[in-house]
Amino acid sequence: MRSGRAAIVIAILALLALVSVAAFLTLGARGSWSFVLSFRGKRLLALVLVAYAIAVSTVLFQTVTNNRILTPSIMGFDALYVLVQTSVVFFLGTQMLVLADPHLRFLAEVVVMAGFAWILFRWLFLGEERSLHLLVLVGIVFGIFFRSISTFMQRILDPNAFQVLQDALFASFQNVDTTLLGVSFALVAMASLVLWGVSHTFDVLTLGRAQAVSLGVDYRRTVMTILTMVAVLVAVSTALVGPITFFGLLVASLARALLGDSLHRHVLPAAVLLAIVALVGGQTVLERVFSFDTALSIIVEFLGGLVFIILIMRGAAR
Amino acid sequence: MGVVVALTMMLAVASLFVGISDVSLSTLFGAGAHDRAMRVLLVSRIPRTAAILLAGSALAIAGLVMQIIVRNRFVEPSTAGTTESASLGFLVVTIFAPGWPLMAKMLVAAVFAFAGTALFLRILRFVPLRDVMLVPLVGIMLGGVIGAVTTFFAYRFDLLPSVLAWTIGDFSGVLRGRYELLWFGLAATILAYVAADRFTVAGLGRDVTTSLGLNYKAVMTFGLALVAVISSVTLVSVGSIPFLGLIVPNVVSLMVGDNMRITVPWVAALGALFVLLCDIVGRIVRYPYEIPIGVTVGVVGSAIFLYLLLRARGSRG
C-alpha cells in the first residue's frame, strides 16, 4: 500500500512539475521562439538546479543530523557562503572579482565553504549528544553572526568595492546568474554521483548513530562525505539565487507529509519535484499573473517561518 | 560600579570630539572658526552622545525586564518579535498616515510592539515543555514571520529602502530635535527600577504573585508596556540594535548575581558604556566613513550570544 501511495504522489508531482516547466517556457512569449526559448531555458535550468540542490541537501542533512527541523540554511550555511565571498574581496581586493575567471573563483569559494562547513559540523554533530533546540539556536545565531561580519566588512570596503560586491552577491529568482550555469551543473552532478555511492546507507542512518554503526555503516566517514556534498550543493544554490532560509524546510516537510513515509527513495524525488513546482511554478504565477518579481522569496520566508514554529511546537509537545 | 560610571563619563566626553568636523578644545575656544565648532557640538555631538547613553541603557533594561517576566535568560526585544512588530507598526503608520507627528507614529509602533510580544507569550503557553532554548527560538522565528509581512508591504508600497534604514541602528543621523523621544526611555528605566521587586515576584508565576497580594496581570502588562515603549522609541529614533538587551544583563548576572535592586543600575550603566564603545569604534575604524551601530553591535552581540549559548550547554532546564 505504502509504495502505491508514494508512486501516485510522485506521479502527480512529476506531472505538476512538467506543467510548471511548460508554462514557464511558453506563457506570455512574443517574438522569436528560438531567442525566447534559449533565454528562458537558461533561467529554467538554473531554477531546476537550485530546486534540486536545495531539496537534496535539506533532506540528507536532516537524515544525517537525525531530525526534521534543522536544515543547512537554518544552520547559517548560506550566510557562511556570503561571508566567504565577502572575505575574498576584503582580503584580496576587487580585482579578484573583476579579473579572475568567475568559474575558478566559484570553485575556490566552494572548496573553502565545504572546508568550513566540514569543521563546523564535526564540532557540532560528531561530539557529544546535544539538545536539538540548542543546536538550532546556535545555528541561527551563527547565521546572524556570519551575516553581521559580512556586513561589517562590506561597510569597511570603499564604496566602489562595496558596489561591485553587492552586484556579485545580489541575486534573486528574477535575475539568475547564468554565467556559472555550466560549472554549477558539473558540481551538482559530481555531488550527486558521490551521494549515489553512499545512497544505500541513507535509510539506515535515519535509525540513529548507534543502530547505523551496529548495522555495519562506517558512520563517521559516511556522515562526513554526505555533509561535505551538502555543503557543495548549498554553495551552488546560494551562488545562483542568493540565500533563501526556509525553502528547504518547506519542501522536505511537505514531501514527508504527502508521502506519509520517510523512505529516501520516495522522499528525495518527491522533495525535488515539489521544489521544482514551487520555484518554477511559483515564479511563473508571480511573474505572468501578478507581475510581482522578487516577492516569491518573501512568501517562502513567511510560510516557512510558520511551518517552523508549528514543527517546533509539535516537537515540544511530544 | 564606580569604574563603569567613570569609564562611561570619559568615553562620553571623547565621543564629543570624535567625528568628521574638527571639534576640539582649540577650535572651540581658540581664535577663528569657533562658532562653527560650537554649533556642531550643540546640534550634533551632544545630542548624539545623549542618544547613545539613553538608548543603550534603555534597551539593556528592556532586555532585563523581559528576561525576568518570561523567566528565560535568552529573551530580549529582538528574540521575541517585539522589534519586528514595532517595525511593522511604524510601516503601517507611514503608509496610512505619513503626516502624523513622530510622537503619534511612535505610539502606534509601541501598540504593535505590545501586541506582538503578547502574541509571543501566548504562543509560549502552547509549548508545554519549556526548554530554555525553545523560547528564543520561537521568538526569533516569529520575528522572521512578522518581518516577512513587513518586507512584503514595504515592497508593495516602495518603502523598502526606508525599512532597511531603520532595521539597522545608526546614530549618525541624530541631531538636536530628532532624538528627544529617547527621554521616554530614561523614564521607562527609572520606572523599571522602582518596580523591580514586582517584576521579580511576577517572574515566579501567577500563583505566587497572587498569593503575595500582587495583581499578576497588571504587573505583566506594565512590564510589557515598558518594553514596548523602549523598543519603539529606539526604533523610531535610531533604528534597531540587536542583542543588546540579551548580552548586557547576562554579563551583569555573571558579574554581580541576580538581585534586581543591584542589577538594574549595573545593567543601565553597562548598556550605555557598551553602545558608546561600539559607536566610537564604528566612527574611527573607517574614518571618514562611519559603520552604523547596528552592524557593530550585531557582530559583537552575536559572538557573545554564541558564547553564552555554548556555555549553558551543560545545564538543561
Side-chain angles (χ1 to χ4, degrees), chain A residues 133 156 292-294 308 312, chain B residues 131 134 141 155-156 286:
Chain A
H133 296 149
I156 292 186
F292 289 177
D293 35 11
T294 50
F308 187 89
I312 283 270
Chain B
D131 180 348
L134 195 63
M141 286 303 141
Y155 166 77
R156 294 290 293 142
R286 186 73 186 94

Side-chain angles (χ1 to χ4, degrees), chain A residues 50-281:
Chain A
V50 168
Y52 175 87
I54 291 181
V56 172
S57 63
T58 307
V59 171
L60 291 182
F61 186 80
Q62 295 191 336
T63 300
V64 169
T65 54
N66 217 342
N67 79 91
R68 296 291 161 78
I69 298 172
L70 279 181
T71 72
S73 41
I74 291 177
M75 292 298 299
F77 245 57
D78 8 21
L80 182 62
Y81 181 78
V82 172
L83 179 61
V84 169
Q85 285 215 304
T86 312
S87 308
V88 166
V89 178
F90 188 80
F91 294 111
L92 303 172
T94 29
Q95 294 88 349
M96 277 296 292
L97 278 182
V98 184
L99 300 178
D101 180 37
H103 300 105
L104 276 179
R105 208 185 73 230
F106 181 55
L107 280 177
E109 277 162 0
V110 169
V111 169
V112 172
M113 160 104 183
F116 258 125
W118 201 80
I119 292 166
L120 188 68
F121 284 138
R122 264 195 82 103
W123 177 60
L124 281 177
F125 293 103
L126 286 179
E128 67 224 77
E129 288 283 312
R130 297 189 187 180
S131 115
L132 175 65
H133 296 149
L134 173 69
L135 283 179
V136 183
L137 196 56
V138 166
I140 290 173
V141 181
F142 257 120
I144 297 172
F145 180 56
F146 293 148
R147 268 190 291 273
S148 313
I149 298 184
S150 309
T151 320
F152 192 81
M153 284 179 174
Q154 288 164 11
R155 294 275 179 171
I156 292 186
L157 292 170
D158 64 272
N160 303 331
F162 179 63
Q163 202 49 54
V164 173
L165 190 67
Q166 277 285 316
D167 295 343
L169 283 181
F170 190 81
S172 67
F173 302 120
Q174 196 51 22
N175 43 5
V176 179
D177 192 351
T178 44
T179 41
L180 298 171
L181 259 186
V183 79
S184 302
F185 190 82
L187 278 171
V188 169
M190 190 266 314
S192 305
L193 274 178
V194 173
L195 288 171
W196 184 253
V198 291
S199 61
H200 57 280
T201 62
F202 292 165
D203 285 331
V204 179
L205 284 174
T206 326
L207 301 173
R209 183 181 189 155
Q211 290 276 26
V213 170
S214 69
L215 286 169
V217 176
D218 182 349
Y219 186 80
R220 194 168 270 262
R221 226 195 71 214
T222 316
V223 167
M224 276 344 282
T225 309
I226 295 175
L227 284 179
T228 314
M229 290 306 120
V230 165
V232 170
L233 290 175
V234 173
V236 169
S237 78
T238 315
L240 288 176
V241 295
I244 334 166
T245 315
F246 287 118
F247 189 67
L249 180 77
L250 271 179
V251 292
S253 310
L254 203 55
R256 287 205 184 90
L258 287 174
L259 290 166
D261 71 25
S262 46
L263 283 174
H264 283 83
R265 64 169 186 276
H266 299 158
V267 175
L268 281 172
V272 170
L273 289 170
L274 261 176
I276 293 173
V277 172
L279 268 193
V280 179

Side-chain angles (χ1 to χ4, degrees), chain B residues 35-55:
Chain B
D35 48 344
R36 183 173 178 281
M38 204 50 153
R39 214 171 42 239
V40 170
L41 185 75
L42 290 177
V43 174
S44 156
R45 296 289 167 73
I46 290 180
R48 178 174 187 156
T49 306
I52 291 169
L53 296 175
L54 291 170

